[in-house]
Amino acid sequence: MQEHGGNLDVARQRFGGRAEDWIDLSTGINRVPYPDVDVEPQQWSALPSRADIESLHQAARQAYATGAPIVALAGAQAAIQLLPHLTPRGRARILGPTYNEYAAVLRAASWDVAEVFDPGALAGADLAVVVNPNNPDGRCHDRRDLLALLPRIGRLVIDESFADAAPSLSLAPEAGRPNLLVLRSFGKFYGLAGLRLGFAIGSERDIAGLAAMAGPWPVSGAAIAIGRRALLDRDWANATAKRLASDSVRLDAAVRSQGWTLVGGTPLFRLYETGDALAAQEKLARGMIWSRVFAQKPGWLRLGLPGNESEWARLAEVLAR
């Protein structure tokens, strides 16, 4: 089992409390979710039609400013699970340190996997993975630099799970190019991770391959209805991006008294060097605030952004202890 945020069962086992007592800042999920989540009864009782799914695809194309082929899946993670089977096994290179599921899934499928730390070292790979912005340190890569890698790589996968608040980074508008595959997460920015919705955007061949593996009903009727509505609500998206940008600066200021230094982050999460992340995590946990630590980086602590003012007040109170 890979390390992930969102593991409140571990927090409760160690520190007690009910799930509703905790403020879970261990993920990069927006804690002010998209509010309009009502669905019609038939979206629970009937199988999604092809027209329903295509309407979701059209909404995603509009939101991501692309005309490329697209397929809806049960989260970006579902695309990661299918990725090793899209082409014959070969050499996979992952720009790290980054989200740990890529290496695990590819190795389980018998790919030759290595983590590299410079984009130039991706050249020659049959499959290369870049998370942009990166998780967990927020490192960003210029679109032109990534496109320049295309002729030197068999297939370039760009994971844009945290790009909604930084749309200028996105390669979705270029995703119709051969050998370029862009992955998008819906649940993080829209705060609806439990909906399990994401998208792969790419060439006709790649999207057809992913769609065939995903099967005829890759997402639920509820995910289609809510996802379509949210993706088309650009006023909410623009206001949310503005709020997140402001709140990420607010979080940096709130933890400054602890002596933590900012390693990086995105508008959805921040990564700090604390000197002793386990001690910092325990301090927060005593106040029922859960955070993310990293076994390979004992000083790193990742925090998502609090949602309402009550959560901000509790964070301030716990930090002041």
Side-chain angles (χ1 to χ4, degrees):
M1 184 72 176
Q2 300 299 307
E3 292 181 335
H4 294 294
N7 53 340
L8 271 183
D9 51 346
V10 174
R12 294 174 61 200
Q13 185 177 30
R14 290 176 56 191
F15 299 100
R18 302 166 300 168
E20 56 267 32
D21 297 329
W22 285 83
I23 300 172
D24 186 5
L25 303 186
S26 68
T27 74
I29 298 166
N30 181 5
R31 289 188 62 80
V32 185
Y34 186 75
D36 189 359
V37 295
D38 292 334
V39 297
E40 297 295 328
Q42 66 266 24
Q43 285 153 347
W44 294 115
S45 60
L47 288 171
S49 69
R50 291 308 308 167
D52 291 334
I53 295 172
E54 184 52 33
S55 71
L56 175 62
H57 291 166
Q58 290 290 2
R61 287 189 186 97
Q62 184 171 328
Y64 302 142
T66 184
I70 190 167
V71 61
L73 298 164
Q77 184 64 43
I80 296 170
Q81 299 295 139
L82 298 176
L83 192 58
H85 312 291
L86 193 57
T87 56
R89 291 189 296 269
R91 297 173 68 240
R93 298 296 178 260
I94 301 168
L95 188 63
T98 195
Y99 183 55
N100 57 28
E101 284 289 338
Y102 281 101
V105 167
L106 287 161
R107 286 194 179 107
S110 300
W111 280 71
D112 171 13
V113 180
E115 188 176 62
V116 300
F117 303 98
D118 179 84
L122 298 170
D126 299 296
L127 174 67
V129 177
V130 178
V131 180
N132 191 39
N134 190 42
N135 174 17
D137 60 9
R139 183 183 181 188
C140 295
H141 304 276
D142 185 88
R143 299 166 72 254
R144 292 166 296 183
D145 294 338
L146 294 175
L147 288 174
L149 290 170
L150 273 178
R152 304 156 63 194
I153 293 169
R155 176 174 283 97
L156 177 61
V157 177
I158 307 294
D159 183 330
E160 296 183 350
S161 290
F162 292 98
D164 290 77
S168 63
L169 291 174
S170 179
L171 279 177
E174 308 289 340
R177 298 186 183 210
N179 304 326
L180 174 62
L181 185 65
V182 175
L183 307 184
R184 299 292 297 235
S185 168
F186 173 86
K188 296 177 178 65
F189 180 75
Y190 289 91
L192 298 171
L195 202 63
R196 304 313 305 138
L197 179 61
F199 301 90
I201 314 168
S203 66
E204 288 188 12
R205 179 180 177 182
D206 282 354
I207 298 307
L210 291 170
M213 287 188 282
W217 303 289
V219 293
S220 70
I224 292 169
I226 296 168
R228 179 176 56 214
R229 187 183 308 142
L231 288 165
L232 293 175
D233 191 345
R234 304 320 296 162
D235 288 341
W236 184 91
N238 292 334
T240 296
K242 183 177 180 180
R243 176 185 60 80
L244 291 171
S246 175
D247 281 356
S248 62
V249 175
R250 181 181 181 181
L251 183 58
D252 292 343
V255 306
R256 199 166 292 139
S257 63
Q258 308 302 301
W260 303 348
T261 57
L262 180 67
V263 176
T266 75
L268 281 164
F269 65 82
R270 314 303 279 170
L271 181 67
Y272 302 104
E273 173 56 57
T274 67
D276 186 342
L278 288 176
Q281 184 184 55
E282 181 169 348
K283 175 177 179 173
L284 292 168
R286 297 294 178 192
M288 299 290 182
I289 297 173
W290 195 229
S291 55
R292 171 80 193 276
V293 297
F294 300 85
Q296 302 304 314
K297 295 284 187 177
W300 281 11
L301 182 91
R302 194 186 71 184
L303 281 178
L305 276 59
N308 57 37
E309 287 302 318
S310 176
E311 293 185 356
W312 281 102
R314 195 201 299 186
L315 176 64
E317 189 273 327
V318 172
L319 289 172
R321 291 176 183 174

